[in-house]
Amino acid sequence: MHEFILGSDGMRSMMKVVHQVARYDVNVLIIGESGTGKEALAKIIHLNSPRAKNAFVPVNCGILSGLMFEDKLFGHEKGSFTGAIRREKGCFEMADKGTLFLDEVSEIPLENQVDFLRVLEDFRFVRIGGSEVIKVDTRIISATNKDLRKLVDQGAFRQDLFFRLHIVPIYIPPLRERKNAIPRMVEHFLNQLSITYRKPPPRVTPEVIDMFCRYEWPGNVRELKNLLERVFILNDEDAITVEHLPSDFLWHFEEPSALDLAEVRKRAETEAILHVMDRVQGDRKRVAQILNISPRTLRYKLNQYGIKVDRK
Ligand SMILES: Nc1ncnc2c1ncn2[C@@H]1O[C@H](COP(=O)(O)OP(=O)(O)OP(=O)(O)O)[C@@H](O)[C@H]1O
Ligand SMILES: [Mg+2]
């Protein structure tokens, strides 16, 4: 069910490194664009490590700063700040004997990086408001879709922390650079969906596979997986053909000569108007306000684009 598809020599060599590092508590930094499988790979490392039976704790480093960040990672004692009604463990403690996965590690706020590095050196810390020194045994895997070295050069990321995290770097190439894997991935995801939704997996025509292999997949594997889910749910036929692919996907294959700017504008504006209309239950005055146009312009566009909506 959770097989990780390789499909190229480059990926097979990468997987050898993964299995090698899994056995040791070495810090691994996984680098790759969004949706390339960084978290999936981190889990594989954890599950192939001696820590497999213990927790795998993912934490997104991008959403918190200052005290909130410290709280998330190191926890707090009861009464240490307003709202701290009981002792709360942080991610480091939750990942004791297991693996802590630092996602979007480039986003650790600069102000928190020094303390953070110190904890990575000896795995000792105190909870916020506490005095007891907590010692944990945690393995660190981090991931980034940014060029950390560049951030170091720009002064946005501490060099010493970079070196600490970067002992073994593992790079996952974008899907467009390993298109050989696409047919296997399609088959794999359809089988997965078939189990999840209890419906037989459809065949996929060679034309569709060919289009998938020509497309650039800016959202990488996640984009492919989501597209297949959408098509799988919306069709009950036994084959997926080009006609079943959504128009926003097919749009990428239209001849450039057919890309009339007026048509692009019409589509985008129609979509935006309908979206807002729907959100405000067809209240035209609010639609115009939200879209920052006059009611007159809105009326004009509704007529011009032939958008039919119930009057309110
Ligand atoms: N090679 C692969 N084989 C099978 N499934 C994969 C593969 N790569 C990624 N996936 C699946 O694609 C989805 C996206 O992967 P994941 O969440 O690991 O990406 P990510 O690199 O962490 O993305 P982001 O940077 O956006 O967080 C997941 O459901 C994952 O299981
Ligand atoms: Mg991720």
Side-chain angles (χ1 to χ4, degrees):
M1 181 90 173
H2 295 293
E3 191 189 347
F4 194 85
I5 310 293
L6 300 173
S8 70
D9 287 346
M11 289 294 279
R12 274 186 280 276
S13 332
M14 185 212 66
M15 199 48 107
K16 275 201 193 125
V17 176
V18 163
H19 282 281
Q20 188 65 18
V21 295
R23 296 153 54 196
Y24 306 101
D25 276 346
V26 61
N27 290 352
V28 175
L29 175 69
I30 305 175
I31 306 151
E33 287 180 13
S34 172
T36 44
K38 297 186 291 299
E39 183 155 350
L41 208 63
K43 267 191 207 143
I44 292 176
I45 297 179
H46 171 74
L47 291 174
N48 284 281
S49 78
R51 297 169 176 270
K53 287 206 169 62
N54 302 313
F56 174 84
V57 179
V59 50
N60 185 332
C61 301
I63 45 173
L64 304 164
S65 63
L67 200 61
M68 300 291 278
F69 178 83
E70 268 181 55
D71 186 26
K72 179 92 185 156
L73 286 144
F74 309 124
H76 62 252
E77 296 292 342
K78 181 177 171 178
S80 53
F81 51 81
T82 324
I85 48 173
R86 65 177 93 85
R87 169 190 284 172
E88 215 60 79
K89 283 185 183 178
C91 292
F92 265 100
E93 263 181 278
M94 289 195 273
D96 190 24
K97 310 269 184 313
T99 303
L100 180 60
F101 175 56
L102 303 170
D103 205 1
E104 298 189 34
V105 76
S106 63
E107 307 304 305
I108 297 181
L110 209 46
E111 55 176 319
N112 295 103
Q113 290 182 15
V114 191
D115 281 348
F116 193 70
L117 174 65
R118 205 177 32 73
V119 177
L120 290 189
E121 301 280 344
D122 63 3
F123 292 93
R124 287 170 201 273
F125 56 89
V126 288
R127 302 188 191 104
I128 298 174
S131 52
E132 180 197 356
V133 176
I134 317 271
K135 168 98 181 107
V136 290
D137 167 20
T138 303
R139 198 251 168 97
I140 303 289
I141 303 179
S142 33
T144 183
N145 55 18
K146 302 246 169 76
D147 185 345
L148 267 192
R149 213 178 276 273
K150 207 154 128 199
L151 292 179
V152 170
D153 291 342
Q154 292 166 352
F157 200 84
R158 288 181 65 101
Q159 189 176 40
D160 42 12
L161 180 55
F162 169 71
F163 285 129
R164 187 80 211 155
L165 297 171
H166 184 266
I167 311 242
V168 180
I170 294 180
Y171 173 67
I172 314 184
L175 186 56
R176 63 183 169 280
E177 287 174 19
R178 47 185 167 113
K179 288 179 171 174
N180 284 347
I182 289 178
R184 286 256 354 251
M185 280 188 181
V186 171
E187 190 190 333
H188 168 70
F189 290 136
L190 289 174
N191 285 332
Q192 253 187 2
L193 288 162
S194 154
I195 294 167
T196 309
Y197 293 111
R198 299 201 191 112
K199 180 167 124 174
R203 279 185 302 113
V204 181
T205 63
E207 292 77 24
V208 170
I209 294 289
D210 178 59
M211 277 180 134
F212 284 176
C213 290
R214 278 188 288 141
Y215 181 58
E216 292 292 286
W217 301 106
N220 294 292
V221 184
R222 179 179 298 112
E223 185 184 1
L224 172 63
K225 192 175 171 183
N226 290 349
L227 177 75
L228 287 169
E229 181 160 7
R230 186 163 149 198
V231 176
F232 181 88
I233 290 295
L234 295 179
N235 298 288
D236 286 330
E237 285 161 52
D238 58 2
I240 296 178
T241 66
V242 175
E243 291 73 47
H244 296 126
L245 300 177
S247 55
D248 54 347
F249 177 78
L250 292 173
W251 190 78
H252 297 280
F253 294 87
E254 281 174 15
E255 289 298 319
S257 59
L259 197 67
D260 174 354
L261 202 54
E263 188 57 30
V264 172
R265 192 181 312 127
K266 175 181 166 181
R267 265 193 235 176
E269 291 192 346
T270 305
E271 198 177 310
I273 292 171
L274 287 175
H275 173 73
V276 178
M277 277 283 180
D278 187 47
R279 296 301 295 266
V280 300
Q281 284 89 38
D283 182 339
R284 290 194 185 194
K285 217 168 125 201
R286 289 198 58 205
V287 173
Q289 262 170 3
I290 292 170
L291 293 172
N292 201 18
I293 52 176
S294 68
R296 194 162 157 241
T297 308
L298 178 64
R299 220 167 27 245
Y300 174 75
K301 288 193 186 290
L302 292 176
N303 278 335
Q304 189 194 14
Y305 298 156
I307 304 175
K308 302 257 180 301
V309 280
D310 298 333
R311 266 214 91 96
K312 188 180 166 192

